[in-house]
Amino acid sequence: MRLVLDWDGTVTERDTLDLVLERFGDAEIYERTELDLDAGRMTLNDVIAEQFGTVTAPLDEVIAYVLEHARVRPGFAALARTQHPLVVSSGFRELIEPVLERDGVLGEVELRANRVEARPDGWVVDFRVAQPCAVCGEPCKRADLPGGEVVYAGDGHSDYCAALAAKRVFATGSLAGWLRGRGVSFTPLTDFNALASEL
């Protein structure tokens, strides 16, 4: 059974994309697009593209900020070294890999994430999944799941469809509420020491 983890808000205690947008993005566009996402008026890819189009800071400056502020949940490094999880993220490889390297586990996980070009007139996202999912109707992480049985851990909108395809789900944040509202069983995600003990 393969362990698959979301990154932002799941491996990390806080969503690092939100951290970046709070510091370097446009708050008004952030709030409007989040409302549009919740209402089903925009896809997650559209929201991310519009939000990060407002970021004009150099990549090195943003990476330094992320490294200073991003914290991973307790037990992640040990879990990475023993389970070698697949990390599937709607975030950016350019911001995730430095954190994995900082914590000494860059070579311990398989990473599937979007890429970003940090242009001075607004960041441009290269989405790894662009085709709509047959189940949810928008590009999503289900396409990244490996064959066979999956244990999935996530926290938000980007995890909804993928979580439904998993044999077992660890959830926090809006994912937990979304699953609860649909009567889908899950185990609350607290930290990775607790998750490892459940595997």
Side-chain angles (χ1 to χ4, degrees), residues 35 39 46 57 80 131:
L35 289 172
D46 291 340
Q131 295 301 314

Side-chain angles (χ1 to χ4, degrees), residues 59-115:
L59 183 60
D60 288 350
E61 183 180 343
V62 176
I63 290 172
Y65 185 81
V66 169
L67 288 173
E68 182 182 351
H69 293 91
R71 296 289 167 261
V72 300
R73 286 183 193 272
F76 173 68
L79 183 81
R81 293 186 182 104
T82 57
Q83 297 289 330
H84 307 289
L86 168 61
V87 172
V88 178
S89 177
S90 295
F92 313 132
R93 186 175 287 272
E94 290 82 0
L95 300 181
I96 297 169
E97 288 180 341
V99 177
L100 291 171
E101 187 172 20
R102 178 197 71 189
D103 291 3
V105 292
L106 181 59
E108 304 295 341
V109 306
E110 180 185 352
L111 175 62
R112 296 182 190 172
N114 297 321
R115 310 241 24 166

Side-chain angles (χ1 to χ4, degrees), residues 14-81:
R14 275 207 64 202
D15 188 314
T16 60
L17 296 183
D18 287 350
L19 282 173
V20 170
L21 290 167
E22 284 171 12
R23 173 66 180 82
F24 301 101
D26 183 307
E28 189 176 315
I29 287 177
Y30 175 86
E31 288 170 17
R32 175 180 58 75
T33 54
E34 290 292 318
L35 289 172
D36 285 344
L37 177 67
D38 291 341
R41 292 186 294 267
M42 294 180 76
T43 68
L44 182 62
N45 280 10
D46 291 340
V47 167
I48 291 170
E50 187 164 343
Q51 289 175 345
F52 279 87
T54 71
V55 176
T56 58
L59 183 60
D60 288 350
E61 183 180 343
V62 176
I63 290 172
Y65 185 81
V66 169
L67 288 173
E68 182 182 351
H69 293 91
R71 296 289 167 261
V72 300
R73 286 183 193 272
F76 173 68
L79 183 81
R81 293 186 182 104

